[in-house]
Every structure is written in structure tokens, then in C-alpha cells.
Amino acid sequence: MTVPRDFQEPANCRPDLLIGRDELFNQASEQLARGGSVLLHGPAGIGKSTVLRALATESGATARTVLRCSATESESHLPFLALADLFGLVLDDVSDKLPAAQRTALESALTGRGESTLLRDGLALRLAVLSALRALAAEGPVLIVADDMQWLDPASLELLGFAARRLGDIPVRMLCAVRTDGAEHDRHLRALPPNSLAIRCNPLTRDQVASLLDHRGYTGLQRSTVRDIHRTSGGNPFFALELGRALSENPTPHRPGEPLPVPTSLRDLVLSRLEMLSADARRTLLVASAGARPTPALLHAAGRRDAEAEMAQAAALGLLATEAEGPAVRFSHPLISAALYAEAPAQERRDAHRALSTAASDPIERARHLALATTGTDPGVAARLAEAAAQARDRGAPSMAASLGLLSARHTPADSVPAPDERRLTAAEDAITAGELDLARDIARDVLTRATVPADRVRAWITVIDTAGHAMTEVDAVFPQALADAGDDPGLLALIRYQLAWRALLVEGDFDEAREEAARSAALAEQGGDRYNELMALAFQAQIETLMGHPDAPATIKRALKEPQDPRVACHHNGAGYSRFRWLIMSDQLSEARATVTALLREVRRRGSVESEVHFLRGVAETELRSGHCGRALDLARESLMMARDTGIGEVASAVLASIAEASGGSVERALELAREAVDHAEGNGDQMYESRGLAVLGYAQLVAGDAPGAVRSLRRVRELEHGLGITDPARGRWQGDLAEALVRIGEIGEAQDVIDVTRVNALRLGRESVLAVLDRAEALVRAARGEHEAALVQLTSVQDRLAKLGYGLEEARAAFVLAQLRTRRPGPTSYDESARLFRRCRALPWLRQVEAAALARPEEQVTVTAAASDGLDSLEGLASMERQVAALVMEGATNREIAARLFISVKTVEATLTRVYRKLGIRSRVDIVRLAAGRRSP
């Protein structure tokens, strides 16, 4: 097919299905833009055709002619079919430009009217294809698009390869895709020009599969289900979408731990090969598909005596991987295992699990297989599953614990102790720990439909509240119901009061009420003998007091750390350990803060607590950022954001931190996007705390982007919010110095000084040394703007030294940058060396770009002159840049000292510059400059 250059599809018409393919697409697009050719390769369904179409749309916009072909397996035996697709519509355009023998050979091959073959026409046909491409390229660039190259007929493929090797500098590009299925792609490259780029389409990650499913409308899937889809599909987008479709069409919701329904469209891909197996080999593979980590030894223990021979038979059919990768039995694709299991009758599946329940060496695995082999309730099986869930919990596998807990509840008789709903609620709590909030919420809502025991109902209500995260306005109606169910029970009331403390903080923004509710919760928990919740409430009380700058904060932290401790609290993200970390980082004890939060992160990773891991990742990232390790902080912040979005935990908080990390060490545009997203979400959730946090990082990002008016607007709003919230500790958000600096930039000197003065009072009261240093940096700018140049330089020199000693690398670099700006308005080659060195050490790329821009900026762009002075300068063309600036200020009536202050140079430099001006203009004094300019302006 030929597409002329005038087709009107926009060049940037990229399909939104290119999820997870940005890097691949950009790599291929750059190669094509350079005039090169591209071969995409990978297994069936991996998305090659989707990427190829997007690239063809973009690159086709720059081509005069686009030639397309795509073959199928059933057509691959037809000679010259691909050639006909490519040249059929342009034959009339090029035939008269070909020598007679070539024209005859090509027409015969394309029309089939003669007996043209490569054997008969040989060189003539090969040269005809090359000549046709040259003729088309003479009119403009040519793009050849070939999909499914593996099905192209051999004759056409050979002709393309012959021409491709001889195109040279002729503007012909090839964009091809081939299915490799593990085979080498090198032989297909021979059909493309030399130095073509081969790009493999790799499987999608779990996050990318989740995005793909959401895009296609398969939303609302539980995190564990998406994980199963990713595992079963092997990251293949086509397989993942088919599994998602099957789930959406299944009237019964998928339950964690159960196999996915494999649609017929995918079963057909593998079942034809499964039918070629013997009955015994098929049963052996069924046992392998049911096992978590099947090995030949496990299969033998499960009664499969001839496992090796039967596995060899399966490997010969391509069902099992043949390469040696240790003792495990590995299916060549996870879908084969899933389809085999889904196709087996229910009784055969139970038999496989029964055999594995005694053969498996791991007690958790044995319990799981026993449950899947058992129908109906069985107290013995339920108890074993509950025990296995506890073991999984201790191993740091809360997701497995939740799955086993649900199986335990399913096999628990209604009159047992503990009851089925108790085990379901424990599973819900494990699901929260694993970050599977949707699963936990579904379990709790299910329990509430029938539970009558107050303790069960309150636990379920607390689970519903916990899954709401910071969007607590969505569960406002829950609190009255939970309080009614709790009655006078102090232990149950403690749970609810703890949640009310969070609501007071996040929704109402009332620190005093939040502190009172936390203290009340601690007292009730102590009365009820619940040490865990007492410690949690005390830790939260300490966090609130730290934010308030309350003098009792250290004492409350000590109470929360007193023995006896509960190991679950020690590494909880709302526990005393994290409260202590917050106090340390706000008190400028960066090294100890880093050690504390790193130890917490290590422990929660061992335990498998996803929610705490998200929080502690942010804590480590914040510490690295304060220390000036922007690259490391950016990596951690991005990891935290990815995990938060994957789980739905702490998305706003992670976006806030990722924004400040991007503005400091990554992309300012991305920082602005993330900050605005965080503000929007916080406002939607009614979360004033994070609305102020989001606005603070938005203001910082705007300052880095050079938008001082925007930064002032954002940070003024932060000031209003924090005043209303009662936040007095400036180390909480550290935005005050940025506001003062932005105010100086827009000329609001008085307001800037007021911000500094008010903040300094609280910073001095609380001993926030780094905040005081940043305030002094901002005050130096105020002084410089007022003409107190020498005092500003002295103050900045002190600030840089203090920040270096405190370990605040990025703030130290910012002080060096301001110092360089104030020292000279016309920077020499080394004026900004120190600040550039410090920003490079921090990997603070956005700030480094500012330094480079300042060093290259034209001095005349840094001085504002009046219109009259500008008119006068137009006639003084013989002056150098600095000389023109000095002359302009003389025309405004400025004294030498005032000129020095405004240009940030010494008075002696002003005097020397004026001497040169007099000499060049042939005058003797400042008055002559004004007269000369005035005379030139006279009509």
C-alpha cells in the first residue's frame, strides 16, 4: 500500500496504548529520525504491532511515500505477495523509470501474468526492486513498514534484503516487526539496511499491566488480582488484557489465592499441545502447575514416579523450559500452567493438591494444599491454615497471610472459637499491612453485613476507616456507628478515639483537638489493658506535639518508648520510632535521623509491611534531600511514589516528596505537575495538612522554575493555612525562606523582612538552627535590595559556613549561589565555580542549570533602566556592556555608591568604569554624560 506525503494524520498521533513503551518508542523514533531503520522483535502479543503502528504514524509524516505490507501464516507460501503489497500501487509511477528488462521482471512478479521467478529473472528482478526504491526516493523520503516479517514469503524477503544492502545514502528507511518466540532475530536483520537498530519488546511490569487494564476499562481489580494477572500473563499485554476481559465477564468475583479464569482465546494457544501428551504426563504437569515451586524431587514425593521422562516429553513439545536453570520445573510460559490447571476437572485438581499437602516441605505450603484439597468446613484444616497464616505473617509475607486467613475462615465452622468472622478480620488486617486496601475493605464490609459481636463490628469499622487513608471525610458516617457499637468498652473506645485524633488533624486541622483525642485514646487503652494501642496513641500524640512545637513533645516520646514495648509498634509508621525520627530531622540531627529511619525501613521490609515501607522510604528520601544527596533522594522518592500508587497508600504524601525531589534533582516540570496533583487531591480529601504541604512544595518548584509571582501566591496561602492550623514550628515545612526570597524577587521587600522576623522568633524558641541559617540567607537578599551590599556579603558568608557544618548540602549550595550573584553583576569565568561545584556534588540539576544560565546571562539584561536613559544609551554605541550600564544609572542621577550597590560591584570599579567612559566619549565628567545623552535625544 502506498500513502502519499499529503496524508493529514498528525505526526504526534501516538496511541494511548503505548503503556510502558516510552523508552522503546523514543529510541526507535530517534533512529528513524536519523534516517536509520528499525527492527522490533519479541514474542506474540507483546505489543510489537502497536508500537510499529505508532512509529509508522509519526515517521510517515516526514515521508513522501509509505510502503506497507503485512502477511499471515496461511499466505506465506505465496511468492511475491509481500512485494505486491509494497509496490502494487506505485508500479505505474515507477515502471517507466526502469530499464525494460527490470520493468518486465517486476511487472511479471507483481501481476503474476508471466512466469517470473528469482531463478529465471534473477538479477533483473533484484535490480528492479532497487531501482524502484531509488525512483521513489528521488521524489522524497520513503518509509517501508513491514509487520509480521516471519510470515513474509521467502522470495519477497530475499528481494528486500538485496535492495536494503545497496541503498547507501538513498533516503529509504525500513520499519519492521518480527515474532521471535525466543528465536534469534539476526537472520531477519539481513532484510534491512546495514546498521539497522534491533529493539526487543520486553514484558510489561506489574504497574504497566495495571495501567493497561485500567485503560481498557478493567478497573476495580484488587491488587492481588492484578499481581496474578501479571504473573500469569508473563507481562504480555495481549494475554493480560484477555485475562482481564475474562475476569470482567465472570459473574463470580475472583478470590485471592484462586486460579484465574483462562479464556478460551488463550487456552486454545496451548491446549492443542497439551492434547499431544500422554495421560500420565498430563497429570504430572497438573501437579507441577498446582505447586508453588515444583521440582523433580517434589513430583516424586507426590507420587509421580516417571516425572523425568514425562517432563522430557513436555519439554519436547515446548511446554516446559529446556534450558538448565537449577532444579525447578519451569513452564515455558506461565499461561501454560494456568490453562492446564483451569482445564483440569475439579476432582483432579483436588487430588493434585492432596498429594502436595504431604509432599511439600514447607508447612505453609502444605497447609495451603490441604485447604485446596478439602471441601466444606473442617476445624482441623482451619486451625492449620490459621497457624500457617501466623507463620507467613512472622516471615514478613502479609499478603500470603491474608490469603491463608481467608482460606482458614472458609473452612471454619460457624460455632467455632475463634469464629469465621474473627479470622476474616485478621485476614483484612494482614491485607492492610500488605497494601491490599481494596481486599481489606471488601472483607470488612462483608463482615458488617452479619456480625453482631461489638468487638467484631468495631474491628470491621476500624478496617474501613484505615482503608480510607487521608480521605477521612469519605468515612465520616462510620464514626457514630462505631461509637454506638463500642458502648462503654474502654479498649474499643480507645480504637475509635485514636481514629478521631487523626480526623481532627487531617480534616479539621485542629491540633489541640487532635492532641486531646490522642491522649484520651492512650488513657482508655491503658484502662483496657491494651498496651499496643496505648503506645500507638502516645506516639501519635508525640507527633502532633512535635508539629505544634509543643514543649511536651520530648517527654511524650520518652513515654512512648518506655517498656514494656510491643514489637508491632517499634517499626510501625505511626509508632514511637518514627515519631523520634521526625523530632530528630526537625532538630537538625541528620545523621541520627538517617540511622533511625534506615533501621526502621530495614525492619519493615523484613516484616513485609507495605504501608510502613512507603512511609519510611519517604523518610529516608527526605533525609537524603536535606543532606544534599539529591540524586539518591530522587530515586527513593520515585520508588515511594510508585509503591504508593500501586497500593493506594499515602499517594498525596509521596507525590509531595517526589515533587520536591524532582525540583531539586530532576525535572522541574514534573515537580510542578506532582505538586499540583497533590494539592488537588488534598483539597478533594478535605486534608488541610497536606494541602499546605502540597502548596509549600508547589511554591518551591515555582521558585526553582523562575516563577517568583507564582511562588509568592502559593506560599502566602501556606502561611494562611498553617496559621489557621496552629503550626508554629518552621522546621515542619521549611517554606518561609523560599517565600521571603520570592518576595524579594518581586520587590516586596517589607513583607519579606516581616516573614523573616516572625519566623525567626519561633525558630529561636525551638532551636531550629538550619531554619535560622536559611532565614539569614533570605535576609541577605533583603539587605542587598536595600543597598546594604557589604553587610549582605558578610551575612551570606556566615550562612554558607553554618549550613555546611549542619550538613545541609543543598542549602549550602544555594547560599553559595546567592553569594556569587551578589559579588558581581557581570560574572567572570570563575564567578560561579563554587556554587556550580556544590550543586554538582548534590546532583541538583535544576539548580545547576540556574547557575549556568546566570553565568551566561548578558549583564544588560540584569539591570532595569528608565525609558529616557535607554533612549540616551542607543546613541552611545561605542561603550562596552558594563560601561553602558554605569552610564544608564548616571543618567538616572545615581551616585557612585548607589551604582555600586545596584550592580553589586565596588565603588572603585564604578570609578574605573567611568574613567573609560569619559575617554571613549571624549568628555570629562558625569554631567557631560547627561548632556551628551540629552543632546542626542533632542530633535
Side-chain angles (χ1 to χ4, degrees):
M1 179 185 295
T2 301
V3 182
R5 175 64 185 86
D6 57 2
F7 81 107
Q8 296 299 313
E9 287 187 79
N12 61 352
C13 181
R14 288 176 56 181
D16 49 9
L17 287 184
L18 285 186
I19 292 170
R21 302 301 190 198
D22 285 346
E23 184 177 350
L24 181 155
F25 183 93
N26 292 336
Q27 186 181 8
S29 181
E30 290 171 5
Q31 169 75 356
L32 291 166
R34 292 191 294 266
S37 297
V38 172
L39 175 68
L40 304 171
H41 62 97
I46 203 68
K48 302 180 300 297
S49 297
T50 301
V51 177
L52 180 134
R53 286 193 296 270
L55 287 167
T57 299
E58 180 182 85
S59 298
T62 61
R64 174 64 180 85
T65 305
V66 179
L67 307 176
R68 301 176 185 268
C69 69
S70 181
T72 63
E73 184 175 12
S74 62
E75 300 169 341
S76 60
H77 66 286
L78 300 173
F80 305 122
L81 184 61
L83 196 69
D85 283 343
L86 290 170
F87 292 101
L89 297 181
V90 295
L91 182 60
D92 293 341
D93 298 333
V94 299
S95 60
D96 60 344
K97 300 174 184 177
L98 304 181
Q102 295 179 24
R103 181 170 60 250
T104 300
L106 183 60
E107 288 177 348
S108 179
L110 296 184
T111 62
R113 286 193 292 269
E115 296 182 358
S116 178
T117 67
L118 283 175
L119 184 62
R120 171 194 285 274
D121 298 315
L123 185 60
L125 187 52
R126 292 176 173 86
L127 291 175
V129 173
L130 180 59
S131 298
L133 289 175
R134 285 173 172 163
L136 290 170
E139 302 296 325
V142 176
L143 176 67
I144 299 174
V145 182
D147 199 2
D148 283 321
M149 280 187 72
Q150 72 276 4
W151 305 133
L152 262 61
D153 62 276
S156 297
L157 198 62
E158 201 278 339
L159 290 169
L160 277 177
F162 176 87
R165 291 188 293 274
R166 291 163 175 80
L167 288 172
D169 295 331
I170 297 171
V172 176
R173 298 166 294 169
M174 294 182 69
L175 172 59
C176 307
V178 62
R179 182 191 302 177
T180 52
D181 287 326
E184 294 297 327
H185 62 274
D186 293 353
R187 63 187 183 90
H188 298 285
L189 270 175
R190 291 195 289 270
L192 277 72
N195 301 319
S196 293
L197 179 64
I199 301 177
R200 179 172 178 79
C201 292
N202 290 314
L204 299 181
T205 66
R206 187 175 68 185
D207 288 340
Q208 291 163 353
V209 166
S211 298
L212 183 64
L213 293 167
D214 284 344
H215 174 84
R216 280 295 183 92
Y218 304 136
T219 56
L221 296 174
Q222 294 178 355
R223 181 170 175 258
S224 57
T225 301
V226 174
R227 184 180 61 227
D228 290 343
I229 290 175
H230 177 255
R231 184 182 64 248
T232 303
S233 68
N236 185 297
F238 172 71
F239 296 167
L241 287 172
E242 287 297 290
L243 291 168
R245 180 178 61 79
L247 283 167
S248 68
E249 294 174 353
N250 193 338
T252 304
H254 177 253
R255 294 193 291 189
E258 292 189 345
L260 293 175
V262 181
T264 304
S265 59
L266 297 184
R267 291 188 196 186
D268 291 345
L269 294 175
V270 296
L271 291 184
S272 58
R273 283 183 284 174
L274 288 172
E275 291 171 357
M276 301 171 66
L277 290 171
S278 66
D280 285 340
R282 189 161 178 165
R283 278 192 288 272
T284 295
L285 287 193
L286 176 60
V287 174
S289 70
R293 294 175 297 276
T295 63
L298 178 66
L299 295 177
H300 279 294
R304 308 312 303 166
R305 298 177 182 176
D306 297 323
E308 283 84 357
E310 290 157 354
M311 286 189 297
Q313 182 185 354
L317 293 171
L319 296 169
L320 294 179
T322 55
E323 64 271 18
E325 291 193 5
V329 176
R330 192 171 69 85
F331 286 88
S332 56
H333 194 282
L335 188 63
I336 296 172
S337 173
L340 172 64
Y341 189 91
E343 187 70 11
Q347 186 56 52
E348 288 188 16
R349 291 203 296 263
R350 285 195 292 272
D351 290 343
H353 286 296
R354 187 171 292 107
L356 289 167
S357 69
T358 58
S361 58
D362 185 79
I364 293 177
E365 192 67 14
R366 288 199 301 271
R368 187 180 75 88
H369 287 302
L370 180 61
L372 294 173
T374 305
T375 58
T377 60
D378 186 318
V381 171
R384 283 188 59 181
L385 285 163
E387 182 182 350
Q391 290 176 316
R393 195 177 304 118
D394 290 341
R395 289 184 187 179
S399 181
M400 173 62 75
S403 176
L404 291 166
L406 288 175
L407 285 172
S408 175
R410 192 183 309 168
H411 291 288
T412 301
D415 57 352
S416 292
V417 178
D421 280 344
E422 288 184 69
R423 284 176 165 157
R424 289 188 181 94
L425 289 170
T426 301
E429 290 158 0
D430 285 328
I432 289 177
T433 302
E436 299 180 14
L437 302 185
D438 46 2
L439 173 59
R441 187 184 303 110
D442 290 345
I443 294 171
R445 293 289 187 188
D446 176 57
V447 169
L448 285 166
T449 60
R450 58 179 174 273
T452 58
V453 177
D456 288 349
R457 292 190 62 80
V458 171
R459 279 181 75 187
W461 287 127
I462 296 299
T463 297
V464 172
I465 295 169
D466 278 341
T467 58
H470 284 197
M472 297 193 78
T473 53
E474 296 178 2
V475 292
D476 271 348
V478 167
F479 289 101
Q481 300 176 70
L483 286 168
D485 285 331
D488 298 327
D489 188 313
L492 298 180
L493 286 171
L495 297 174
I496 302 167
R497 290 295 172 190
Y498 178 77
Q499 297 293 342
L500 284 169
W502 276 102
R503 188 190 180 283
L505 180 68
L506 297 176
V507 178
E508 302 298 334
D510 191 329
F511 277 66
D512 290 325
E513 183 183 349
R515 180 171 177 265
E516 289 174 9
E517 288 286 10
R520 192 177 302 159
S521 173
L524 286 165
E526 183 181 17
Q527 182 183 344
D530 187 344
R531 183 61 174 164
Y532 170 81
N533 283 301
E534 179 190 358
L535 292 172
M536 289 294 293
L538 285 171
F540 186 42
Q541 181 183 340
Q543 284 191 49
I544 299 168
E545 290 172 349
T546 300
L547 290 172
M548 296 172 71
H550 198 285
D552 290 349
T556 307
I557 291 174
K558 287 181 181 178
R559 285 180 62 199
L561 291 170
K562 280 183 65 176
E563 297 294 340
Q565 282 290 310
D566 186 308
R568 294 172 296 168
V569 178
C571 60
H572 195 283
H573 57 278
N574 288 322
Y578 196 64
S579 296
R580 182 170 179 271
F581 160 73
R582 296 296 333 155
W583 184 79
L584 287 168
I585 199 170
M586 292 174 73
S587 302
D588 299 323
Q589 299 180 53
L590 294 182
S591 296
E592 195 170 349
R594 180 189 290 107
T596 298
V597 74
T598 301
L600 290 169
L601 178 61
R602 185 165 53 247
E603 179 62 17
V604 299
R605 280 177 165 166
R606 187 186 70 80
R607 291 173 175 268
S609 176
V610 175
E611 184 171 9
S612 292
E613 182 177 355
V614 172
H615 279 75
F616 296 157
L617 270 173
R618 289 201 303 269
V620 177
E622 182 181 353
T623 310
E624 297 292 348
L625 193 60
R626 300 284 175 226
S627 303
H629 305 146
C630 297
R632 171 71 174 149
L634 183 59
D635 291 341
L636 290 165
R638 286 172 174 171
E639 182 182 353
S640 172
L641 181 60
M642 180 179 67
M643 188 177 293
R645 287 181 167 167
D646 184 30
T647 61
I649 294 172
E651 292 182 77
V652 175
S654 294
V656 164
L657 185 69
S659 174
I660 193 171
E662 291 283 358
S664 300
S667 162
V668 180
E669 292 74 18
R670 179 63 175 153
L672 292 166
E673 177 186 337
L674 286 168
R676 292 188 176 107
E677 174 188 317
V679 172
D680 290 344
H681 277 85
E683 287 178 340
N685 293 339
D687 185 346
Q688 295 185 58
M689 284 284 292
Y690 270 97
E691 183 183 354
S692 72
R693 293 287 300 273
L695 285 165
V697 298
L698 176 59
Y700 171 70
Q702 288 168 324
L703 186 66
V704 178
D707 179 12
V712 169
R713 286 192 298 273
S714 299
L715 296 175
R716 278 174 175 165
R717 176 62 181 147
V718 177
R719 182 172 55 182
E720 294 171 7
L721 282 170
E722 292 205 353
H723 178 74
L725 290 168
I727 298 174
T728 60
D729 191 336
R732 183 253 181 183
R734 299 177 182 268
W735 50 266
Q736 295 85 353
D738 291 335
L739 175 56
E741 182 175 336
L743 286 166
V744 171
R745 290 191 188 184
I746 66 171
E748 296 290 346
I749 309 301
E751 185 181 349
Q753 186 65 59
D754 181 63
V755 169
I756 293 167
D757 292 342
V758 171
T759 306
R760 184 175 281 135
V761 172
N762 287 319
L764 284 168
R765 175 175 62 86
L766 297 167
R768 304 307 192 213
E769 292 296 330
S770 62
V771 174
L772 289 167
V774 169
L775 291 174
D776 284 352
R777 185 183 66 206
E779 191 171 52
L781 288 170
V782 172
R783 286 182 169 179
R786 288 174 172 167
E788 301 171 20
H789 184 61
E790 295 301 327
L793 291 176
V794 171
Q795 190 170 22
L796 275 171
T797 303
S798 170
V799 165
Q800 184 179 344
D801 182 59
R802 286 154 59 197
L803 288 168
K805 289 178 179 177
L806 288 169
Y808 283 78
L810 181 59
E811 299 296 351
E812 176 195 356
R814 288 181 63 179
F817 183 31
V818 175
L819 190 59
Q821 289 175 306
L822 296 190
R823 277 178 174 155
T824 175
R825 204 60 175 181
R826 188 185 182 190
T830 61
S831 300
Y832 290 92
D833 282 358
E834 173 69 1
S835 56
R837 180 185 69 80
L838 292 173
F839 281 131
R840 285 194 193 95
R841 184 182 70 182
C842 295
R843 283 185 58 193
L845 301 183
W847 284 107
L848 187 59
R849 285 190 285 270
Q850 283 200 29
V851 174
E852 292 168 349
L856 294 173
R858 294 173 58 191
E860 57 264 38
E861 294 173 352
Q862 302 170 355
V863 177
T864 303
V865 296
T866 64
S870 179
D871 291 340
L873 283 177
D874 289 342
S875 62
L876 305 178
E877 298 175 352
L879 300 182
S881 177
M882 178 61 77
E883 294 162 355
R884 288 166 61 86
Q885 292 178 67
V886 171
L889 292 172
V890 168
M891 292 177 200
E892 293 181 7
T895 66
N896 285 3
R897 184 170 295 280
E898 289 170 341
I899 293 171
R902 290 186 60 176
L903 296 182
F904 302 107
I905 57 178
S906 69
V907 174
K908 288 185 177 180
T909 302
V910 175
E911 292 170 352
T913 303
L914 281 173
T915 299
R916 292 195 301 273
V917 170
Y918 300 156
R919 186 174 63 250
K920 288 183 178 181
L921 298 180
I923 58 179
R924 295 183 178 181
S925 68
R926 299 163 56 91
V927 176
D928 290 336
I929 294 178
V930 177
R931 288 173 177 170
L932 181 61
R936 296 285 178 89
R937 288 198 301 271
S938 299

